[in-house]
Amino acid sequence: MSTYIRKNMLLFILTILSSVIASLGYVFMAVLLQQLLDIAMDKNIHQFIRMVVFSIIYFVALGFSLYLQSLLSKKVICKIMLQIRSDVFQGTINHSIEDFEKKNTADYISVVTNDVKMLEDHFLLPLFEVVQYTVIFISSFVLMIYFDFIVTICVVAAIAVMFLVPGLIGGTLEKRQNKFSSKLADFTVSLKDMLSGFEIIKSYSMTKSVIQRFDKVNSETIQSKYSVDKLLALNEGLSAFLALMVQIVVLFLSAYFIISGRITVGTLLGMVQVSSNLANPLIMIFTNIPKMKSVQPIIEKLKNISKHSTIPSRKENADTFQSHISAKDLSFSYDGTTEAINGIECLIEKGKKYVIVGKSGCGKSTLIKLLSGYYSTYKGEILYDDAELHMLDKDSVVQLSSIIHQNIYLFDETIYDNICLHEHYPEEQIKKAVEDSGLAEFISELPTGLQYRVGENGSNLSGGQKQRIAVARALIRNKPILILDEGTSAIDMQTAYDIENRLLKIENLTLITITHHLDPNLLDKYDEIFYMENGHMKERGSFKQLINTPTSFSQYYHLKE
Ligand code: ADP
């Protein structure tokens, strides 16, 4: 947090300065009241008129400085929030795929929205209040000594008791606030999950159970918030009570001193006014300090996410895919117990075409994700030319390939934006990608052509159209490796055939396809077929080699016919 304050130092100092001026102006109103009452008691009309003129100027200046202080503090908070949110988002985006997948997407949403907001409400706003009220408190204290020393001593004693309050509940409050933040994250995760399944909820009549599930997480979240609020209420109540005590002490002592002739009535009024400026700021300070302390774990959490935006990679760039990628004795488990793939050996040569086949769940997608650098916790070796994947910069490895999954993600923008992804490409290149991906005919039928908006995750398009956009998105980038993970499964047979056929003809492209469509004409065009079974690489070879011998692949192939 200090980094952000340092970044906005000038504005921050100006805010504090305006706050100091406004607070001093506010406190010295007590002197004004004291003088006014003493003038009234003297029945001095000339001094009274001078006082009225002075007061008008004084209050206009005070009003302006209060406005300035409020405006500047809002401006500095907005600037800091902007920077924090941007850093947290950059940190989130800069996660590796492996790290990102460790949490639910809604967890990240909750951090960028809920936690950052909590920082504003429980740290930045209280911080300015603490500064402002500290100034009010100190200047009131000095003024109190000026009015009467003995009353000040008694006030100090009452204040000493007030110091104990935040220390008593601060620790518990911090724990509860942390729990509330994680409940809030769970709430966002559940909400996203439920709304994402809207269609299923409707078509399977799940409304009742979904409402019950929502009510459960909703009430857990609110209960957690209430447990924080209960402590805050205790803190506020105790502080308010003690502050009231301070005022009562002042009032009774001053009344006694008027009777004994030690002070004037004007001084009593001045002291009552100042004592409220001693008590109320203390309430604010002692309710805000535990609040600020309680968000420390959240500040840590945000710091940890943001730091991803600044860690430079010390690894080599993966520009080393000149001849091949190979896997040696490669095994991997998602959960640390069951192996999704085991002892895989394979060689992918640059520019050649490979197809991976096998039953669902045999490890095909896992293998290509590992080869393209998604996960780092594998056993065995993955070599890019001769460099082990661990030695290479993960981001630049991921950059080498485009993967087209069965489930395509489209942004709620135009087809053009979804293909170019906000990068600039020459017209010719876009046209070629649109044609090679089989999109041309569909786009020519749209009134707005490439500028057609696809809706939330492409809801205005069919599965096949989405996949074609994904193919165009991949082709336009001319990356050396293209992976189709059942990437044409939602397209009609003929179009899928045409797209795959075109991809097979691109000379320098290394193509790896996972497919369940076993078309002999296409399979024959691949350099090698990898047949997988239960996480193992069971057989490898050309279509002709595998189909003309009694292999597991040929059995699988004939079953599928
Ligand atoms: P295929 O692509 O051949 O259908 P996958 O590689 O997707 O198979 O899956 C291989 C095994 O790993 C399956 O048992 C699957 O349940 C499991 N698996 C896949 N993805 C994950 C994941 N993200 N977390 C945990 N297990 C997974």
Side-chain angles (χ1 to χ4, degrees):
M1 192 50 67
S2 52
T3 325
Y4 295 102
I5 293 177
R6 247 179 278 129
K7 268 192 202 163
N8 301 284
M9 203 42 142
L10 183 67
L11 192 59
F12 192 76
I13 290 175
L14 282 177
T15 313
I16 302 282
L17 215 64
S18 67
S19 171
V20 169
I21 294 170
S23 309
L24 287 177
Y26 185 68
V27 170
F28 283 96
M29 252 165 42
V31 180
L32 216 67
L33 286 178
Q34 179 219 4
Q35 307 249 326
L36 186 67
L37 206 67
D38 286 343
I39 289 168
M41 298 300 276
D42 285 351
K43 300 193 178 15
N44 185 337
I45 192 71
H46 293 298
Q47 279 204 351
F48 177 72
I49 293 170
R50 247 191 287 148
M51 194 69 183
V52 169
V53 175
F54 177 76
S55 298
I56 290 172
I57 299 169
Y58 185 87
F59 283 114
V60 168
L62 180 63
F64 180 72
S65 61
L66 282 169
Y67 162 71
L68 200 67
Q69 173 225 346
S70 169
L71 184 74
L72 286 175
S73 64
K74 286 187 169 42
K75 188 169 169 83
V76 76
I77 286 176
C78 280
K79 279 191 97 172
I80 291 178
M81 295 306 289
L82 180 86
Q83 288 159 358
I84 294 179
R85 220 173 247 149
S86 164
D87 283 357
V88 172
F89 184 72
Q90 276 184 44
T92 309
I93 288 290
N94 284 341
H95 273 63
S96 65
I97 295 175
E98 185 177 22
D99 287 340
F100 186 81
E101 281 182 356
K102 284 180 189 153
K103 277 195 220 156
N104 193 303
T105 333
D107 273 330
Y108 296 102
I109 297 176
S110 180
V111 171
V112 179
T113 53
N114 301 332
D115 286 354
V116 174
K117 178 83 181 97
M118 217 185 271
L119 214 62
E120 177 182 354
D121 294 342
H122 292 258
F123 191 87
L124 289 173
L125 285 170
L127 175 69
F128 286 116
E129 283 184 0
V130 166
V131 170
Q132 180 187 357
Y133 288 115
T134 307
V135 175
I136 294 184
F137 174 75
I138 292 173
S139 48
S140 301
F141 195 70
V142 172
L143 207 59
M144 196 78 178
I145 296 176
Y146 158 77
F147 282 140
D148 194 278
F149 189 68
I150 296 183
V151 178
T152 312
I153 302 259
C154 296
V155 167
V156 168
I159 285 167
V161 182
M162 288 180 73
F163 265 98
L164 297 172
V165 179
L168 293 179
I169 59 165
T172 324
L173 189 60
E174 190 175 318
K175 271 188 219 133
R176 290 192 188 178
Q177 194 74 272
N178 205 13
K179 196 171 159 208
F180 174 48
S181 159
S182 68
K183 280 276 171 216
L184 217 50
D186 291 349
F187 178 75
T188 319
V189 170
S190 301
L191 189 63
K192 180 175 171 265
D193 193 35
M194 286 181 258
L195 294 181
S196 306
F198 190 76
E199 266 183 47
I200 300 177
I201 292 171
K202 284 291 173 190
S203 53
Y204 287 87
S205 308
M206 288 171 68
T207 319
K208 207 171 145 202
S209 69
V210 163
I211 291 175
Q212 274 171 357
R213 190 177 146 198
F214 177 83
D215 285 346
K216 187 168 174 280
V217 282
N218 190 19
S219 97
E220 280 172 6
T221 315
I222 292 294
Q223 265 168 23
S224 171
K225 177 176 164 25
Y226 183 56
S227 78
V228 171
D229 287 349
K230 267 195 301 198
L231 271 192
L232 285 176
L234 179 67
N235 188 21
E236 282 162 21
L238 269 174
S239 303
F241 171 73
L242 289 165
L244 208 63
M245 285 298 110
V246 172
Q247 272 184 293
I248 301 284
V249 167
V250 172
L251 195 64
F252 277 80
L253 267 178
S254 313
Y256 172 71
F257 287 154
I258 290 178
I259 296 168
S260 63
R262 187 181 154 96
I263 59 169
T264 64
V265 179
T267 308
L268 174 120
L269 187 65
M271 276 207 286
V272 170
Q273 168 72 16
V274 169
S275 69
S276 77
N277 283 348
L278 278 174
N280 291 330
L282 279 181
I283 300 178
M284 298 310 290
I285 292 170
F286 292 126
T287 50
N288 279 332
I289 287 176
K291 237 192 230 174
M292 286 166 67
K293 271 182 70 187
S294 72
V295 289
Q296 284 309 318
I298 292 163
I299 293 180
E300 279 305 308
K301 191 161 129 192
L302 294 177
K303 219 194 271 174
N304 281 337
I305 294 182
S306 305
K307 77 177 178 210
H308 284 265
S309 64
T310 49
I311 299 174
S313 169
R314 273 178 278 117
K315 295 184 174 178
E316 281 177 54
N317 272 345
D319 52 359
T320 52
F321 179 49
Q322 302 299 329
S323 76
H324 66 271
I325 303 170
S326 58
K328 293 187 177 155
D329 197 16
L330 182 64
S331 304
F332 177 74
S333 163
Y334 286 98
D335 55 11
T337 50
T338 334
E339 286 193 318
I341 61 163
N342 190 316
I344 299 272
E345 303 275 339
C346 70
L347 176 71
I348 310 278
E349 289 181 74
K350 189 169 181 154
K352 290 198 172 177
K353 319 289 186 251
Y354 300 85
V355 58
I356 310 178
V357 292
K359 288 183 195 150
S360 269
C362 70
K364 303 181 293 292
S365 301
T366 307
L367 175 62
I368 54 159
K369 281 185 186 163
L370 281 166
L371 292 179
S372 43
Y374 274 37
Y375 306 124
S376 59
T377 52
Y378 55 84
K379 289 191 198 133
E381 281 185 332
I382 298 173
L383 299 170
Y384 271 64
D385 294 340
D386 293 320
E388 219 301 325
L389 193 61
H390 289 308
M391 305 309 293
L392 300 171
D393 172 41
K394 243 193 233 172
D395 283 343
S396 69
V397 170
V398 172
Q399 294 292 322
L400 286 173
S401 50
S402 300
I403 300 193
I404 301 169
H405 295 285
Q406 211 172 356
N407 299 319
I408 311 294
Y409 190 79
L410 295 187
F411 296 98
D412 187 2
E413 296 178 330
T414 63
I415 295 179
Y416 180 91
D417 292 333
N418 269 293
I419 293 175
C420 297
L421 300 176
H422 301 278
E423 282 177 30
H424 179 74
Y425 293 101
E427 192 106 339
E428 274 308 298
Q429 210 172 327
I430 299 173
K431 212 168 147 196
K432 188 165 182 328
V434 165
E435 265 161 28
D436 287 350
S437 60
L439 263 180
E441 194 187 330
F442 161 64
I443 285 180
S444 68
E445 285 163 6
L446 292 170
T448 46
L450 279 170
Q451 295 307 322
Y452 181 73
R453 251 198 120 89
V454 302
E456 187 181 349
N457 193 15
S459 58
N460 301 343
L461 302 175
S462 71
Q465 288 157 350
K466 283 166 73 172
Q467 285 190 330
R468 273 176 265 187
I469 291 176
V471 173
R473 182 191 275 177
L475 286 180
I476 205 165
R477 276 164 181 78
N478 274 333
K479 290 196 180 176
I481 307 165
L482 179 66
I483 297 167
L484 283 180
D485 186 353
E486 295 180 48
T488 53
S489 59
I491 307 177
D492 63 278
M493 296 282 261
Q494 186 58 46
T495 316
Y497 182 92
D498 290 344
I499 294 173
E500 216 168 308
N501 207 15
R502 270 194 216 125
L503 297 178
L504 281 162
K505 283 183 189 149
I506 303 176
E507 247 178 46
N508 281 324
L509 181 73
T510 308
L511 180 70
I512 308 173
T513 306
I514 293 180
T515 187
H516 287 294
H517 289 163
L518 299 182
D519 184 311
N521 291 328
L522 283 174
L523 288 176
D524 195 33
K525 290 182 179 162
Y526 282 93
D527 292 295
E528 205 169 13
I529 296 171
F530 294 156
Y531 177 67
M532 290 183 70
E533 231 176 61
N534 299 326
H536 299 282
M537 183 69 80
K538 188 82 192 284
E539 284 151 7
R540 278 178 4 206
S542 69
F543 180 60
K544 285 196 181 75
Q545 282 168 344
L546 292 178
I547 203 71
N548 293 326
T549 43
T551 55
S552 303
F553 168 76
S554 66
Q555 264 182 359
Y556 175 73
Y557 174 83
H558 290 303
L559 267 175
K560 280 253 170 190
E561 264 184 326

